[in-house]
Amino acid sequence: GAVEVSVRSPIACWFSAMLYCFGGSVLSSLMLAEPPIAFLAKGTNILLASSVWYFVFYCPQDIFCRCFAFLPLRLLVAGMKEVTRTWKITAGIAHADSHFKDAWLVMVAVGWARGAGGGLMSNFEQLVRGVWKPETNELLKMSYPVKVTLMGAVLFTLQHSQYLPIARHNLVFLYTMFLVVTKVTMMLTRSATSPFASFEAALGRMFFGLQKAPSKVKAEGATSSNGSSVCDRSSSEQHRDGVKKRQAKKTE
């Protein structure tokens, strides 16, 4: 519904775009009891994001979006976005460590929020556009960017606490290359499936047990309901037959 909102209310469209672009800064600031509007002080970033927002929604003949529909350019921009994701995670962990020394969970949470804030705040961003879809909560069904950001936050937190025997620049390089290669591969193959799907399924069966599929539960419920209805029908038919027989005897 973003296109409709851009025509009906450009201010709401701009605000939702800024929330999605700077959601990591807003969320991490709230977690660390800092002003959530601090990102507005960076005028250059706001101007750049606002310029892109304007060209995306209001460029004549939709030329801007058509240019970025060119696959090599899309791959380049997607790779650059994954590079900035690494920077955001490491910056969030360092910022959290300056407030809470050696607090692992705080560093993981802030690094995760800084790198995937747009996805984690998606429900609030949707409310700005007048959309309410609680079933799209990232905690209920995480998307690939949110999952890979959480994994990166854990790795960089372990490295920052010197529990992971690897140099920081080496971990940054390996993690960034993994992000870029995975993202480019998913775009080229047009795959929306997370590369962690099989691993997650194995861990789910191992630690949380197997659960009956919803389709099977529904099928069993339908079978039981059908069986009960058949029994009800048969008993009612027998009752009617008995009444008819008694009436016939009385008539005789």
Side-chain angles (χ1 to χ4, degrees):
V3 177
E4 291 79 4
V5 173
S6 66
V7 177
R8 186 172 65 251
S9 178
I11 295 179
C13 181
W14 176 85
F15 190 65
S16 65
M18 295 303 105
L19 280 179
Y20 202 85
C21 292
F22 302 101
S25 299
V26 175
L27 188 57
S28 60
S29 297
L30 290 174
M31 296 171 68
L32 296 175
E34 295 179 347
I37 60 173
F39 72 96
L40 295 175
K42 300 177 181 179
T44 304
N45 294 341
I46 298 297
L47 180 61
L48 177 61
S50 300
S51 301
V52 174
W53 161 80
Y54 183 82
F55 286 127
V56 165
F57 289 100
Y58 304 104
C59 185
Q61 304 298 324
D62 211 13
I63 297 176
F64 188 80
C65 291
R66 290 181 181 179
C67 291
F68 279 91
F70 185 53
L71 183 59
L73 188 57
R74 287 177 57 200
L75 296 177
L76 177 62
V77 173
M80 293 171 60
K81 178 177 176 56
E82 298 305 320
V83 173
T84 59
R85 188 186 304 278
T86 305
W87 295 349
K88 291 179 179 179
I89 295 173
T90 54
I93 292 173
H95 190 55
D97 186 57
S98 65
H99 285 68
F100 301 93
K101 196 67 177 177
D102 295 331
W104 294 4
L105 292 179
V106 176
M107 289 191 287
V108 171
V110 175
W112 187 28
R114 185 69 68 88
L120 294 174
M121 292 187 64
S122 59
N123 288 109
F124 184 72
E125 180 267 332
Q126 290 171 356
L127 281 177
V128 175
R129 295 188 282 111
V131 179
W132 173 240
K133 293 182 179 180
E135 68 276 5
T136 61
N137 189 341
E138 286 287 351
L139 296 179
L140 293 176
K141 188 177 181 181
M142 290 188 187
S143 58
Y144 165 72
V146 175
K147 292 178 183 178
V148 77
T149 304
L150 177 59
M151 182 185 73
V154 173
L155 291 176
F156 283 107
T157 298
L158 293 175
Q159 191 280 328
H160 186 82
S161 302
Q162 298 181 355
Y163 285 97
L164 193 64
I166 185 174
R168 181 176 180 274
H169 61 273
N170 290 334
L171 181 60
V172 168
F173 174 77
L174 293 175
Y175 179 74
T176 305
M177 289 302 299
F178 172 77
L179 291 181
V180 173
V181 171
T182 305
K183 183 66 175 180
V184 170
T185 303
M186 293 176 67
M187 292 179 66
L188 290 176
T189 58
R190 296 182 179 180
S191 174
T193 305
S194 171
F196 307 125
S198 57
F199 182 68
E200 292 172 4
L203 289 180
R205 288 192 297 267
M206 184 182 302
F207 293 105
F208 302 105
L210 291 175
Q211 295 183 357
K212 189 174 293 186
S215 58
K216 294 182 179 179
V217 175
K218 291 180 180 180
E220 292 179 359
T223 303
S224 62
S225 63
N226 291 336
S228 62
S229 61
V230 170
C231 294
D232 294 339
R233 287 196 299 270
S234 61
S235 61
S236 60
E237 289 175 358
Q238 292 175 359
H239 179 69
R240 286 196 297 270
D241 292 340
V243 171
K244 290 180 180 179
K245 289 180 180 180
R246 287 195 295 270
Q247 290 178 351
K249 288 181 180 180
K250 290 180 180 179
T251 303
E252 292 176 357

